[in-house]
């Protein structure tokens, strides 16, 4: 008998596999190039193949076996707080990246998304947000020269 949890793993693995195959197919229609001189199709093709492989692994793990914990987790209601905080965090990033800059966008996104976890306190969420923001500004603004201003006011 296939439990609800295992069925969800099969569907998730199939979806990841399908998305990966689609990305690999679309990427292969562009010039792939070589490892030393990558073309525009190289990254989506490789990423697509990796996603398809991960999809196979997810679906395969569902057939290996499940525990009683997995069947119990499938019957639990969804945690709406987590969903709402993650979606709101992404929305805040989009809003503030356009009008407030990378610093405010990243800080607000990570803070709100971290508050979706019921075990986090606001101090832990703020500490995480500051750390990720500092790392993000260093990597994306200074390292990769992304075209979002650090402060956009």
């Amino acid at each position: 008998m296939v439990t609800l949890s295992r069925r969800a793993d099969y569907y998730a693995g199939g979806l990841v596999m399908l998305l990966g195959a689609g990305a690999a197919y679309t990427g292969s229609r562009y010039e792939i190039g070589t490892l030393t001189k990558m073309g525009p199709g190289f990254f989506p093709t490789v990423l697509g193949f990796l996603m398809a492989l991960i999809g196979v692994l997810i679906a395969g793990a569902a057939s290996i076996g499940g525990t009683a914990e997995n069947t119990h987790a499938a019957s639990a209601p969804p945690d709406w707080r987590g969903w709402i905080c993650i979606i709101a965090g992404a929305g805040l990033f989009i809003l503030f990246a356009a009008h407030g800059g990378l610093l405010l966008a990243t800080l607000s996104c990570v803070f709100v998304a971290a508050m979706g976890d019921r075990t986090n306190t606001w101090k832990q969420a703020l500490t995480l947000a500051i750390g990720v923001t500092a790392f993000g500004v260093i990597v994306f603004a200074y390292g990769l020269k992304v075209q979002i201003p650090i402060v956009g006011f």
Side-chain angles (χ1 to χ4, degrees), residues 6-7 35 44 48 53-54 69 80 94 112 119 126-127 136 148:
R6 284 188 185 177
R7 191 175 320 155
L35 283 175
L53 178 65
I54 289 171
E69 181 181 326
W80 291 110
I94 292 168
V112 171
T119 61
L126 184 62
T127 303
I148 301 174

Side-chain angles (χ1 to χ4, degrees), residues 81-99:
R81 176 180 170 167
W83 280 92
I84 291 168
C85 286
I86 290 170
I87 292 169
L92 286 172
F93 185 87
I94 292 168
L95 176 74
F96 288 138
H99 302 292

Side-chain angles (χ1 to χ4, degrees), residues 92-144:
L92 286 172
F93 185 87
I94 292 168
L95 176 74
F96 288 138
H99 302 292
L102 183 64
L103 185 81
L104 184 60
T106 307
L107 188 70
S108 62
C109 173
V110 174
F111 179 78
V112 171
M115 289 306 295
D117 183 357
R118 294 185 189 278
T119 61
N120 280 346
T121 64
W122 69 269
K123 290 179 183 179
Q124 291 171 327
L126 184 62
T127 303
L128 178 66
I130 290 170
V132 170
T133 300
F135 180 76
V137 166
I138 291 168
V139 169
F140 292 106
Y142 296 114
L144 297 174

